[in-house]
């Protein structure tokens, strides 16, 4: 179902490109704690946002319970913040490499 799909997405959105380990949250260092490989997002932001929009639409059209709607809202926020954090980290790295960081 819809929520099941969203949940399974949120379970495996980060992955180590070296050993294939999956993460729910990006590791603090940005590297895989197991092998030190790069950890990347496995999903495309646009695709996820579209899916969330569809979920909300269906929720409104079929009048799902407020509990289900809350779950969708929470996942929405969770996913948005994940992409925001990811972007901030990448921008910070660019700053660092261009020498503008203090
Ligand atoms: Zn790894």
């Amino acid at each position: 179902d819809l929520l099941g799909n969203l949940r399974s997405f949120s379970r495996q959105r980060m992955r180590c490109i070296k050993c294939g380990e999956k993460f729910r949250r990006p590791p603090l260092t940005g590297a895989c704690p197991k092998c030190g490989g790069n950890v990347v997002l496995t999903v495309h932001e646009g695709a996820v946002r579209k899916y969330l929009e569809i979920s909300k639409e269906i929720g409104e059209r079929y009048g799902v319970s407020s509990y289900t709607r809350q779950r969708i809202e929470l996942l929405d926020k969770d996913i948005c913040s994940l992409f925001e954090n990811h972007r901030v980290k990448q921008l910070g790295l660019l700053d660092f490499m261009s020498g503008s960081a203090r």
Side-chain angles (χ1 to χ4, degrees), residues 43-55:
V43 287
H44 193 266
E45 180 172 2
V48 175
R49 286 195 190 279
K50 197 166 184 185
Y51 194 78
L52 271 167
E53 285 308 309
I54 292 168
S55 304

Side-chain angles (χ1 to χ4, degrees), residues 19-34:
C19 70
E21 181 78 9
K22 289 189 176 103
F23 304 95
R24 235 207 116 163
R25 293 265 157 216
L28 286 178
T29 57
C32 174
K34 269 191 172 175

Side-chain angles (χ1 to χ4, degrees), residues 16-21 23 32-39:
C16 171
I17 54 173
K18 221 172 165 188
C19 70
E21 181 78 9
F23 304 95
C32 174
K34 269 191 172 175
C35 71
N38 269 332
V39 176

Side-chain angles (χ1 to χ4, degrees), residues 7-15 22-24 42-43:
R7 235 175 281 139
S8 70
F9 155 73
S10 68
R11 261 200 294 271
Q12 45 178 301
R13 51 199 175 190
M14 306 291 299
R15 192 173 62 85
K22 289 189 176 103
F23 304 95
R24 235 207 116 163
T42 58
V43 287

Side-chain angles (χ1 to χ4, degrees), residues 23-90:
F23 304 95
R24 235 207 116 163
R25 293 265 157 216
L28 286 178
T29 57
C32 174
K34 269 191 172 175
C35 71
N38 269 332
V39 176
V40 295
L41 282 167
T42 58
V43 287
H44 193 266
E45 180 172 2
V48 175
R49 286 195 190 279
K50 197 166 184 185
Y51 194 78
L52 271 167
E53 285 308 309
I54 292 168
S55 304
K56 283 186 205 167
E57 250 181 61
I58 290 173
E60 272 160 36
R61 192 176 304 170
Y62 296 101
V64 293
S65 66
S66 58
Y67 172 76
T68 304
R69 216 170 306 182
Q70 267 176 19
R71 296 293 317 239
I72 294 174
E73 288 295 321
L74 278 177
L75 274 167
D76 189 10
K77 268 185 206 155
D78 196 29
I79 287 162
C80 283
S81 73
L82 176 78
F83 284 121
E84 288 308 314
N85 288 342
H86 196 67
R87 213 173 350 244
V88 167
K89 220 177 254 179
Q90 282 177 332

